[in-house]
Amino acid sequence: ILAGKRFNNSSYTTAGKSVCNAMKKFFVTPSTTPASALTLIKFVPSMNINDPSYILPAFYEVFADVDNSNSTFWKTAAKDGRAFFQKVCHPTTMLGPYLVNFDGSAYTQTFNNTPGNIYRDDCWRICLNLMMDWRFNKADAWQQTTFAPKHAQFMKDQYKPKYPEKMQLDGTHISDAEWPDPCKGLVAPL
């Protein structure tokens, strides 16, 4: 889609629209999943839980600009993704869990040998997705005025320059977690 816009190439744009249309079937909506009051990508199709790090409002805005026939769907997905992040992130640390229920609460069961309600390896993408959306769209002031300062302050105060691999959502280090070299994706937003 971006290449189609950048190079004014209709074949790229057509292919991008085809991908967007195919992706729509991986979203849940209030009408397809009663547990979800929002339009959200569903990470595990066979389960009624989600991985919030796969919610990408910035990309949905791009899709809405190009995929005219589905623009309303993509705009709704972007708006709902932003609202969902506000439910998902811990109110003090702004850490987001590995897995969540569709109401935004942390999934408390174990999945792939890992509790769903902890901050772990790929959860840092939540921060990057939020900040990318703010950078390009500035559609949700909460991202700048609440999320960014709280998350950055917590990470700087608690763990700089090393960050544990796993934490409770309140920021408590999980004792058996390793302290690997800092993940570049995790420290980039700081």
Side-chain angles (χ1 to χ4, degrees):
I1 290 173
L2 295 173
K5 287 180 84 169
R6 180 175 183 155
F7 302 114
N8 196 24
N9 185 316
S10 63
S11 64
Y12 285 148
T13 303
T14 300
K17 287 180 185 180
S18 177
V19 170
C20 285
N21 198 40
M23 280 186 357
K24 281 180 58 182
K25 71 181 178 185
F26 295 104
F27 279 75
V28 296
T29 64
S31 62
T32 62
T33 305
S36 178
L38 304 170
T39 298
L40 302 166
I41 187 90
K42 188 172 185 183
F43 176 66
V44 183
S46 63
M47 298 184 73
N48 221 10
I49 58 174
N50 210 4
D51 178 339
S53 73
Y54 285 88
I55 296 172
L56 306 164
F59 286 102
Y60 306 153
E61 291 287 353
V62 172
F63 301 163
D65 288 344
V66 176
D67 188 11
N68 298 347
S69 62
N70 294 304
S71 181
T72 301
F73 173 85
W74 293 116
K75 290 279 187 188
T76 299
K79 176 183 66 68
D80 287 357
R82 292 178 189 114
F84 196 62
F85 281 135
Q86 291 186 35
K87 294 178 180 182
V88 165
C89 294
H90 186 276
T92 305
T93 65
M94 294 291 133
L95 296 177
Y98 168 53
L99 295 170
V100 294
N101 298 301
F102 282 103
D103 65 1
S105 63
Y107 181 69
T108 58
Q109 313 261 334
T110 297
F111 181 77
N112 286 340
N113 299 318
T114 303
N117 62 340
I118 66 168
Y119 179 90
R120 60 169 279 179
D121 46 19
D122 62 351
C123 297
W124 54 265
R125 289 192 303 241
I126 295 170
C127 177
L128 296 183
N129 293 339
L130 280 160
M131 294 297 86
M132 178 174 55
D133 186 43
W134 175 256
R135 171 65 178 90
F136 291 119
N137 300 304
K138 294 181 177 47
D140 183 0
W142 174 85
Q143 296 169 336
Q144 181 193 34
T145 62
T146 303
F147 178 85
K150 284 185 171 186
H151 182 74
Q153 194 63 53
F154 164 75
M155 295 302 272
K156 288 177 182 177
D157 287 351
Q158 298 298 314
Y159 293 112
K160 191 175 181 179
K162 295 194 73 147
Y163 302 93
E165 182 183 47
K166 296 177 186 173
M167 292 181 265
Q168 298 293 341
L169 297 180
D170 68 1
T172 307
H173 173 246
I174 295 175
S175 62
D176 68 339
E178 296 179 17
W179 292 75
D181 289 335
C183 170
K184 289 175 180 46
L186 174 63
V187 298
L190 302 176

